[in-house]
Amino acid sequence: MNVILLGPPGAGKGTQAERLGKTFDLVQLSTGDMLREEVRGGTELGKTAKKIMDSGALVPDELIISMISGRIDRVGGKGIILDGFPRTTAQAEALDKMLAEKNLKLDHVIQLKVDEDALVQRLSGRFACAKCGAGYHDTFSPPKTEGVCDRCGATEFSRRSDDNPETVRARLVAYREQTAPILPYYDEKGALKAIDGMGEMDEVFRRIREIVGTVRVS
Ligand code: ADP
Ligand code: ADP
Ligand code: ZN
């Protein structure tokens, strides 16, 4: 099964992709995570991407497309969840071409719909374990023991530099202007399934499972 999770920054793509990946044994491919890895590694791509990401704009299509194509090749036959890609019409078209060349098919394009106020609230409280990357929220999903990662026990956490109010505003504009226009692209193919992304994480996950099914497939 190959799935795209679409939605604005803070909609819960990463949160739901992780649950979906665990439940159905799929590989989560997040272009945001890949770019942050490049930034940490100090690569040429990372240096270029860092400035753009901190401004809230999108990284150029050709850089993203070559980065993700290589990763899909290395998945090794498992199903994939694309989280944060595609984000422009050019990326959506490139993905179609890529999938056709690799003999893969797209099963579901799931759009998470979340009010803008809730997005801002979600992004302003987001943090992650510095060691294992587990995601948290100050109010909505804090660790069970304050200051200790549920998953790995680490006590260091980090916040993304682009989750500040000014950059968040720019990212929401980029979503509206460059990413939302790809929704009709998938709708016309009959692939788009919009779900309500408001409410508890478990509730949102139930809505996703209604679409992808409850049976484990590979
Ligand atoms: P995205 O990958 O779409 O940017 P995330 O999955 O990182 O979004 O979620 C953004 C923040 O909101 C995180 O801190 C996460 O814990 C929190 N979050 C995710 N889903 C929900 C939800 N349904 N209700 C409340 N908070 C949520
Ligand atoms: P969010 O969780 O808020 O949706 P991401 O982690 O997906 O954010 O992306 C963070 C930043 O990385 C984006 O603001 C953008 O600069 C860059 N980025 C990630 N994915 C893409 C993409 N597919 N195309 C262009 N830029 C991207
Ligand atoms: Zn951890």
Side-chain angles (χ1 to χ4, degrees), residues 8-15 122 126 136-137 140 199-201:
K13 302 181 296 295
T15 302
R122 288 184 187 182
R126 168 159 72 181
Y136 296 99
H137 189 281
F140 307 127
E200 300 263 327
M201 297 174 200

Side-chain angles (χ1 to χ4, degrees), residues 9 13 31-32 35-36 53 57 59 84 87 91 126 160 171:
K13 302 181 296 295
T31 44
L35 290 169
R36 283 183 288 278
M53 291 164 84
V59 173
R87 255 177 158 96
Q91 291 181 20
R126 168 159 72 181
R160 279 170 47 176
R171 286 158 63 202

Side-chain angles (χ1 to χ4, degrees), residues 27-48:
V27 178
Q28 176 184 353
L29 296 176
S30 157
T31 44
D33 287 347
M34 290 173 198
L35 290 169
R36 283 183 288 278
E37 233 170 74
E38 298 283 342
V39 171
R40 273 195 300 277
T43 64
E44 279 310 308
L45 171 57
K47 283 179 203 151
T48 308

Side-chain angles (χ1 to χ4, degrees), residues 19-91:
R19 286 165 191 235
L20 204 53
K22 270 206 194 108
T23 309
F24 294 93
D25 196 25
L26 307 173
V27 178
Q28 176 184 353
L29 296 176
S30 157
T31 44
D33 287 347
M34 290 173 198
L35 290 169
R36 283 183 288 278
E37 233 170 74
E38 298 283 342
V39 171
R40 273 195 300 277
T43 64
E44 279 310 308
L45 171 57
K47 283 179 203 151
T48 308
K50 167 92 175 122
K51 288 193 202 97
I52 301 170
M53 291 164 84
D54 278 341
S55 76
L58 296 182
V59 173
D61 289 331
E62 57 276 16
L63 298 181
I64 297 289
I65 291 163
S66 62
M67 181 180 77
I68 191 91
S69 173
R71 295 294 178 109
I72 294 176
D73 289 335
R74 278 180 268 138
V75 163
K78 277 194 186 181
I80 56 174
I81 307 170
L82 294 170
D83 153 16
F85 174 86
R87 255 177 158 96
T88 63
T89 306
Q91 291 181 20

Side-chain angles (χ1 to χ4, degrees), residues 27 30 71 73-74 89 106 114 125 131 138 162 164 167 169-171 184 196 200 204 216:
V27 178
S30 157
R71 295 294 178 109
D73 289 335
R74 278 180 268 138
T89 306
L106 200 55
V114 175
K131 191 168 165 214
D138 291 322
D162 60 344
N164 69 80
T167 309
R169 271 195 297 277
R171 286 158 63 202
D196 182 5
E200 300 263 327
V204 176
R216 192 186 178 108

